[in-house]
Short mmCIF file of all heavy atoms in Angstrom, two decimals:
data_model
loop_
_atom_site.label_atom_id
_atom_site.label_comp_id
_atom_site.label_asym_id
_atom_site.label_seq_id
_atom_site.Cartn_x
_atom_site.Cartn_y
_atom_site.Cartn_z
N ALA Z 80 -1.68 -6.00 2.00
CA ALA Z 80 -0.93 -5.96 3.25
C ALA Z 80 -1.57 -6.86 4.30
O ALA Z 80 -0.87 -7.53 5.08
CB ALA Z 80 -0.82 -4.54 3.76
N LEU Z 81 -2.90 -6.92 4.32
CA LEU Z 81 -3.58 -7.79 5.29
C LEU Z 81 -3.36 -9.26 4.98
O LEU Z 81 -3.12 -10.06 5.89
CB LEU Z 81 -5.07 -7.47 5.34
CG LEU Z 81 -5.80 -8.20 6.46
CD1 LEU Z 81 -5.41 -7.60 7.81
CD2 LEU Z 81 -7.27 -8.14 6.26
N VAL Z 82 -3.41 -9.63 3.71
CA VAL Z 82 -3.12 -11.01 3.32
C VAL Z 82 -1.67 -11.35 3.68
O VAL Z 82 -1.39 -12.44 4.19
CB VAL Z 82 -3.41 -11.25 1.83
CG1 VAL Z 82 -2.87 -12.57 1.35
CG2 VAL Z 82 -4.92 -11.17 1.58
N ALA Z 83 -0.76 -10.42 3.46
CA ALA Z 83 0.64 -10.65 3.82
C ALA Z 83 0.80 -10.81 5.33
O ALA Z 83 1.61 -11.63 5.80
CB ALA Z 83 1.51 -9.52 3.31
N THR Z 84 0.03 -10.06 6.11
CA THR Z 84 0.05 -10.20 7.56
C THR Z 84 -0.41 -11.60 7.98
O THR Z 84 0.21 -12.24 8.83
CB THR Z 84 -0.86 -9.15 8.22
OG1 THR Z 84 -0.41 -7.85 7.85
CG2 THR Z 84 -0.87 -9.28 9.73
N ALA Z 85 -1.49 -12.06 7.37
CA ALA Z 85 -2.00 -13.40 7.68
C ALA Z 85 -0.99 -14.48 7.29
O ALA Z 85 -0.76 -15.43 8.06
CB ALA Z 85 -3.33 -13.64 6.98
N VAL Z 86 -0.38 -14.34 6.14
CA VAL Z 86 0.64 -15.31 5.70
C VAL Z 86 1.81 -15.31 6.67
O VAL Z 86 2.34 -16.37 7.02
CB VAL Z 86 1.08 -15.01 4.25
CG1 VAL Z 86 2.33 -15.78 3.88
CG2 VAL Z 86 -0.05 -15.31 3.28
N THR Z 87 2.21 -14.13 7.12
CA THR Z 87 3.31 -14.02 8.08
C THR Z 87 2.99 -14.78 9.36
O THR Z 87 3.83 -15.52 9.88
CB THR Z 87 3.59 -12.54 8.39
OG1 THR Z 87 3.93 -11.87 7.19
CG2 THR Z 87 4.72 -12.39 9.39
N LEU Z 88 1.79 -14.61 9.88
CA LEU Z 88 1.41 -15.32 11.10
C LEU Z 88 1.36 -16.83 10.87
O LEU Z 88 1.79 -17.61 11.72
CB LEU Z 88 0.06 -14.82 11.62
CG LEU Z 88 -0.40 -15.41 12.96
CD1 LEU Z 88 0.64 -15.19 14.05
CD2 LEU Z 88 -1.74 -14.81 13.36
N PHE Z 89 0.84 -17.25 9.70
CA PHE Z 89 0.84 -18.69 9.39
C PHE Z 89 2.26 -19.24 9.33
O PHE Z 89 2.53 -20.33 9.85
CB PHE Z 89 0.13 -18.96 8.06
CG PHE Z 89 -1.34 -19.15 8.18
CD1 PHE Z 89 -2.20 -18.31 7.50
CD2 PHE Z 89 -1.88 -20.15 8.96
CE1 PHE Z 89 -3.57 -18.47 7.61
CE2 PHE Z 89 -3.24 -20.32 9.08
CZ PHE Z 89 -4.09 -19.48 8.40
N VAL Z 90 3.16 -18.51 8.71
CA VAL Z 90 4.56 -18.97 8.63
C VAL Z 90 5.15 -19.11 10.03
O VAL Z 90 5.83 -20.09 10.33
CB VAL Z 90 5.39 -18.00 7.76
CG1 VAL Z 90 6.88 -18.27 7.90
CG2 VAL Z 90 4.97 -18.11 6.30
N MET Z 91 4.88 -18.15 10.89
CA MET Z 91 5.38 -18.22 12.26
C MET Z 91 4.83 -19.43 13.00
O MET Z 91 5.56 -20.13 13.71
CB MET Z 91 5.00 -16.95 13.03
CG MET Z 91 5.74 -15.73 12.64
SD MET Z 91 5.09 -14.35 13.61
CE MET Z 91 6.08 -13.03 13.01
N LEU Z 92 3.53 -19.70 12.82
CA LEU Z 92 2.91 -20.84 13.50
C LEU Z 92 3.41 -22.17 12.95
O LEU Z 92 3.74 -23.08 13.73
CB LEU Z 92 1.39 -20.76 13.38
CG LEU Z 92 0.70 -19.75 14.27
CD1 LEU Z 92 -0.73 -19.53 13.81
CD2 LEU Z 92 0.72 -20.19 15.71
N PHE Z 93 3.46 -22.31 11.62
CA PHE Z 93 3.86 -23.59 11.02
C PHE Z 93 5.33 -23.91 11.29
O PHE Z 93 5.69 -25.07 11.44
CB PHE Z 93 3.60 -23.59 9.52
CG PHE Z 93 2.14 -23.69 9.17
CD1 PHE Z 93 1.59 -22.88 8.21
CD2 PHE Z 93 1.31 -24.58 9.83
CE1 PHE Z 93 0.25 -22.96 7.88
CE2 PHE Z 93 -0.04 -24.67 9.53
CZ PHE Z 93 -0.56 -23.86 8.55
N ASN Z 94 6.17 -22.88 11.35
CA ASN Z 94 7.59 -23.11 11.61
C ASN Z 94 7.92 -23.09 13.10
O ASN Z 94 9.07 -23.26 13.48
CB ASN Z 94 8.43 -22.07 10.87
CG ASN Z 94 8.39 -22.29 9.39
OD1 ASN Z 94 8.50 -23.41 8.91
ND2 ASN Z 94 8.19 -21.22 8.64
N LYS Z 95 6.91 -22.85 13.92
CA LYS Z 95 7.03 -22.86 15.37
C LYS Z 95 8.13 -21.92 15.86
O LYS Z 95 9.06 -22.31 16.55
CB LYS Z 95 7.25 -24.28 15.87
CG LYS Z 95 6.09 -25.19 15.53
CD LYS Z 95 6.39 -26.63 15.91
CE LYS Z 95 5.25 -27.52 15.52
NZ LYS Z 95 5.18 -27.79 14.08
N TYR Z 96 8.01 -20.66 15.48
CA TYR Z 96 8.93 -19.63 15.94
C TYR Z 96 8.48 -19.17 17.32
O TYR Z 96 7.76 -18.19 17.47
CB TYR Z 96 8.96 -18.45 14.96
CG TYR Z 96 9.55 -18.77 13.61
CD1 TYR Z 96 9.27 -17.98 12.52
CD2 TYR Z 96 10.40 -19.87 13.42
CE1 TYR Z 96 9.82 -18.25 11.28
CE2 TYR Z 96 10.94 -20.15 12.19
CZ TYR Z 96 10.64 -19.34 11.12
OH TYR Z 96 11.18 -19.60 9.90
N PHE Z 97 8.91 -19.88 18.34
CA PHE Z 97 8.43 -19.66 19.70
C PHE Z 97 8.94 -18.37 20.33
O PHE Z 97 8.53 -18.02 21.43
CB PHE Z 97 8.79 -20.85 20.58
CG PHE Z 97 8.05 -22.09 20.21
CD1 PHE Z 97 8.73 -23.22 19.79
CD2 PHE Z 97 6.67 -22.14 20.26
CE1 PHE Z 97 8.05 -24.38 19.43
CE2 PHE Z 97 5.98 -23.28 19.91
CZ PHE Z 97 6.67 -24.40 19.49
N GLU Z 98 9.83 -17.66 19.66
CA GLU Z 98 10.27 -16.38 20.21
C GLU Z 98 9.17 -15.33 20.12
O GLU Z 98 9.27 -14.28 20.74
CB GLU Z 98 11.55 -15.88 19.54
CG GLU Z 98 11.47 -15.69 18.06
CD GLU Z 98 11.96 -16.89 17.27
OE1 GLU Z 98 11.85 -18.02 17.74
OE2 GLU Z 98 12.42 -16.69 16.15
N TYR Z 99 8.13 -15.63 19.37
CA TYR Z 99 6.98 -14.72 19.28
C TYR Z 99 5.90 -15.18 20.24
O TYR Z 99 5.54 -16.36 20.29
CB TYR Z 99 6.46 -14.65 17.84
CG TYR Z 99 7.48 -14.05 16.92
CD1 TYR Z 99 8.28 -14.85 16.11
CD2 TYR Z 99 7.70 -12.68 16.92
CE1 TYR Z 99 9.26 -14.29 15.31
CE2 TYR Z 99 8.67 -12.11 16.12
CZ TYR Z 99 9.44 -12.93 15.32
OH TYR Z 99 10.41 -12.37 14.54
N ASP Z 100 5.39 -14.24 21.00
CA ASP Z 100 4.45 -14.53 22.08
C ASP Z 100 3.22 -15.28 21.58
O ASP Z 100 2.77 -16.23 22.22
CB ASP Z 100 4.03 -13.21 22.75
CG ASP Z 100 3.16 -13.44 23.96
OD1 ASP Z 100 3.62 -14.09 24.92
OD2 ASP Z 100 2.00 -12.96 23.94
N TYR Z 101 2.67 -14.87 20.45
CA TYR Z 101 1.46 -15.51 19.94
C TYR Z 101 1.71 -16.98 19.62
O TYR Z 101 0.90 -17.85 19.94
CB TYR Z 101 0.96 -14.78 18.68
CG TYR Z 101 -0.43 -15.21 18.27
CD1 TYR Z 101 -1.54 -14.64 18.85
CD2 TYR Z 101 -0.62 -16.21 17.32
CE1 TYR Z 101 -2.82 -15.03 18.50
CE2 TYR Z 101 -1.88 -16.61 16.95
CZ TYR Z 101 -2.98 -16.02 17.55
OH TYR Z 101 -4.24 -16.42 17.20
N VAL Z 102 2.83 -17.26 19.00
CA VAL Z 102 3.17 -18.65 18.67
C VAL Z 102 3.42 -19.44 19.94
O VAL Z 102 2.97 -20.59 20.08
CB VAL Z 102 4.40 -18.70 17.73
CG1 VAL Z 102 4.80 -20.13 17.43
CG2 VAL Z 102 4.12 -17.93 16.45
N TRP Z 103 4.11 -18.85 20.88
CA TRP Z 103 4.42 -19.53 22.13
C TRP Z 103 3.14 -19.89 22.90
O TRP Z 103 3.05 -20.95 23.50
CB TRP Z 103 5.32 -18.62 22.99
CG TRP Z 103 5.71 -19.20 24.29
CD1 TRP Z 103 6.58 -20.23 24.52
CD2 TRP Z 103 5.24 -18.79 25.57
NE1 TRP Z 103 6.68 -20.48 25.86
CE2 TRP Z 103 5.87 -19.61 26.53
CE3 TRP Z 103 4.36 -17.81 26.00
CZ2 TRP Z 103 5.64 -19.47 27.89
CZ3 TRP Z 103 4.14 -17.68 27.35
CH2 TRP Z 103 4.77 -18.50 28.27
N LYS Z 104 2.13 -19.02 22.83
CA LYS Z 104 0.89 -19.26 23.56
C LYS Z 104 -0.07 -20.20 22.84
O LYS Z 104 -0.90 -20.83 23.48
CB LYS Z 104 0.17 -17.94 23.83
CG LYS Z 104 0.84 -17.09 24.87
CD LYS Z 104 0.07 -15.80 25.09
CE LYS Z 104 0.72 -14.96 26.17
NZ LYS Z 104 0.03 -13.67 26.33
N HIS Z 105 0.01 -20.29 21.51
CA HIS Z 105 -1.03 -21.00 20.76
C HIS Z 105 -0.52 -22.17 19.92
O HIS Z 105 -1.27 -22.69 19.09
CB HIS Z 105 -1.78 -20.01 19.87
CG HIS Z 105 -2.39 -18.89 20.66
ND1 HIS Z 105 -3.49 -19.07 21.45
CD2 HIS Z 105 -2.02 -17.60 20.80
CE1 HIS Z 105 -3.79 -17.92 22.04
NE2 HIS Z 105 -2.90 -17.02 21.66
N ALA Z 106 0.70 -22.60 20.13
CA ALA Z 106 1.23 -23.75 19.38
C ALA Z 106 2.24 -24.48 20.26
O ALA Z 106 2.77 -23.91 21.22
CB ALA Z 106 1.90 -23.29 18.09
N ASN Z 107 2.47 -25.72 19.93
CA ASN Z 107 3.56 -26.47 20.55
C ASN Z 107 4.08 -27.51 19.56
O ASN Z 107 3.49 -27.73 18.51
CB ASN Z 107 3.14 -27.11 21.89
CG ASN Z 107 2.09 -28.16 21.74
OD1 ASN Z 107 2.19 -29.06 20.90
ND2 ASN Z 107 1.06 -28.07 22.57
N ARG Z 108 5.18 -28.14 19.89
CA ARG Z 108 5.84 -29.06 18.95
C ARG Z 108 5.04 -30.33 18.69
O ARG Z 108 5.21 -30.98 17.67
CB ARG Z 108 7.22 -29.42 19.46
CG ARG Z 108 8.16 -28.25 19.51
CD ARG Z 108 9.59 -28.70 19.67
NE ARG Z 108 10.47 -27.59 19.98
CZ ARG Z 108 10.91 -26.71 19.10
NH1 ARG Z 108 10.52 -26.80 17.86
NH2 ARG Z 108 11.71 -25.73 19.46
N ASP Z 109 4.18 -30.72 19.61
CA ASP Z 109 3.43 -31.97 19.47
C ASP Z 109 2.09 -31.82 18.78
O ASP Z 109 1.40 -32.82 18.55
CB ASP Z 109 3.21 -32.60 20.86
CG ASP Z 109 4.52 -32.93 21.55
OD1 ASP Z 109 5.50 -33.25 20.83
OD2 ASP Z 109 4.58 -32.87 22.78
N MET Z 110 1.69 -30.61 18.44
CA MET Z 110 0.37 -30.38 17.85
C MET Z 110 0.33 -30.87 16.41
O MET Z 110 1.25 -30.59 15.64
CB MET Z 110 0.02 -28.89 17.86
CG MET Z 110 -0.28 -28.33 19.22
SD MET Z 110 -0.55 -26.54 19.16
CE MET Z 110 -2.25 -26.52 18.67
N PRO Z 111 -0.74 -31.60 16.04
CA PRO Z 111 -0.92 -31.93 14.62
C PRO Z 111 -1.16 -30.66 13.80
O PRO Z 111 -1.57 -29.62 14.33
CB PRO Z 111 -2.18 -32.81 14.60
CG PRO Z 111 -2.37 -33.26 16.00
CD PRO Z 111 -1.76 -32.22 16.89
N LEU Z 112 -0.94 -30.76 12.51
CA LEU Z 112 -1.02 -29.60 11.62
C LEU Z 112 -2.39 -28.93 11.67
O LEU Z 112 -2.49 -27.70 11.65
CB LEU Z 112 -0.69 -30.03 10.20
CG LEU Z 112 -0.54 -28.92 9.17
CD1 LEU Z 112 0.56 -27.95 9.57
CD2 LEU Z 112 -0.26 -29.50 7.81
#
Side-chain angles (χ1 to χ4, degrees):
L81 188 72
V82 168
T84 301
V86 168
T87 301
L88 185 56
F89 273 120
V90 168
M91 288 178 180
L92 284 166
F93 287 135
N94 291 315
K95 298 174 182 75
Y96 293 160
F97 293 118
E98 58 265 30
Y99 295 100
D100 185 61
Y101 191 85
V102 177
W103 180 72
K104 288 180 178 176
H105 303 287
N107 65 49
R108 295 195 191 282
D109 299 329
M110 289 175 83
L112 188 60

